[in-house]
Amino acid sequence: MRIVLLGPPGTGKGSLASLCDEKLSVAHVSTGEIFRHEIARGSALGKRVQQYVKNGRLVPDELVVEVMVKRLASPKFVKGFLLDGFPRTQKQAAGLDAALVKRERPLHGAVYIASPQDVLVRRLSGRRVCVGCSLNYHIRTMRPKKAGICDRCARPLVLREDDKPETVRKRLKLDAKNAAPLLAYYKARKRLYRVDGRGHIDTVYKRANQLFRKLGWVRALHA
Ligand code: AMP
């Protein structure tokens, strides 16, 4: 199963991707996580993307496509993958398609996780992320056992630079502008699916899993 998860920041793509990874064994890749990791370790790539990520601006299409296409060539993704946060523009979608078609492993579909705006703002401003393993928490709905500390690796939880309110507003605005043509791109190719992102993450996972099974993607994963 080769799919991309679409939807605004805060709609639960990351949490859903982690659950699919855990329950369906489909490797997931998040461009945001890749970039934050590279920035933290001070690599050449990290230095190139640092200012964009810090200011909530999109990293240039050519660079993101190059990074992702290279990464997806890894044997780890032979069975499939689930992409979170990529593509974000039509140009990135076309770049991804071109690379996958060339490898004779085309994308199965794009799954849009839909949530109303007020839900997004509430979720984003309360989100905390572990500095060690990038696991997401929420100050109201997904608290760690010990306040401010990751359950999994015991490192501190922080408010992401780009989850600060003014950056969140910028991200939602930018995302709305980019989302329409991206959705149109997959719709025109009859590969766009929609999952209701409201409610608890387990409920959203159930809805997504039902869709994946209906489309035969889960079977393809274990073939
Ligand atoms: P995310 O964790 O997906 O919200 O991404 C955090 C930041 O990384 C974004 O605000 C962008 O600066 C950058 N980024 C992540 N994915 C992409 C992408 N597909 N295209 C351009 N920039 C991206």
Side-chain angles (χ1 to χ4, degrees):
M1 132 168 158
R2 293 175 292 278
I3 65 172
V4 303
L5 288 182
L6 301 178
T11 200
K13 301 187 296 289
S15 307
L16 181 63
S18 297
L19 266 182
C20 291
D21 202 327
E22 187 188 314
K23 293 183 187 270
L24 299 173
S25 302
V26 52
H28 88 274
V29 192
S30 147
T31 34
E33 262 175 39
I34 293 176
F35 292 151
R36 281 187 290 279
H37 177 74
E38 295 299 323
I39 292 168
R41 70 183 197 100
S43 69
L45 173 61
K47 291 199 175 91
R48 283 173 79 185
V49 302
Q50 192 161 18
Q51 285 310 314
Y52 296 103
V53 175
K54 204 171 146 212
N55 296 317
R57 279 166 45 221
L58 286 186
V59 173
D61 288 335
E62 294 74 18
L63 179 56
V64 192
V65 171
E66 186 193 317
V67 169
M68 290 304 278
V69 165
K70 215 185 274 174
R71 210 156 271 235
L72 292 175
S74 152
K76 189 174 153 194
F77 303 111
V78 167
K79 285 267 176 200
F81 54 74
L82 200 145
L83 304 183
D84 160 25
F86 173 84
R88 288 269 230 286
T89 66
Q90 247 184 349
K91 223 168 147 191
Q92 292 180 13
L96 174 67
D97 269 343
L100 294 179
V101 165
K102 209 163 141 196
R103 289 176 193 163
E104 298 182 354
R105 291 178 182 278
L107 197 71
H108 287 112
V111 179
Y112 181 77
I113 317 294
S115 301
Q117 174 103 356
D118 58 327
V119 172
L120 299 175
V121 173
R122 234 181 5 246
R123 280 186 186 162
L124 285 172
S125 56
R127 180 159 73 176
R128 297 293 180 272
V129 58
C130 171
V131 295
C133 69
S134 301
L135 197 63
N136 280 348
Y137 293 85
H138 195 279
I139 53 169
R140 283 180 294 274
T141 54
M142 224 192 287
R143 295 186 190 142
K145 289 194 186 96
K146 195 171 161 197
I149 301 292
C150 180
D151 293 344
R152 189 157 74 182
C153 71
R155 301 282 306 278
L157 306 181
V158 295
L159 173 66
R160 261 170 51 179
E161 188 75 23
D162 54 353
D163 280 343
K164 291 184 174 160
E166 69 227 49
T167 319
V168 164
R169 278 192 286 275
K170 229 194 280 179
R171 284 166 69 201
L172 287 175
K173 205 166 146 196
L174 175 69
D175 186 82
K177 193 172 142 233
N178 283 323
L182 185 59
L183 297 183
Y185 176 93
Y186 286 114
K187 197 169 175 199
R189 286 157 183 79
K190 301 199 173 9
R191 280 182 303 172
L192 183 64
Y193 303 89
R194 187 181 183 281
V195 168
D196 184 349
R198 287 173 302 177
H200 193 275
I201 183 60
D202 290 340
T203 312
V204 180
Y205 171 76
K206 259 186 212 152
R207 290 182 195 125
N209 191 30
Q210 248 168 23
L211 174 75
F212 299 163
R213 286 179 193 276
K214 195 175 97 189
L215 292 165
W217 295 349
V218 176
R219 213 178 324 120
L221 191 64
H222 302 295

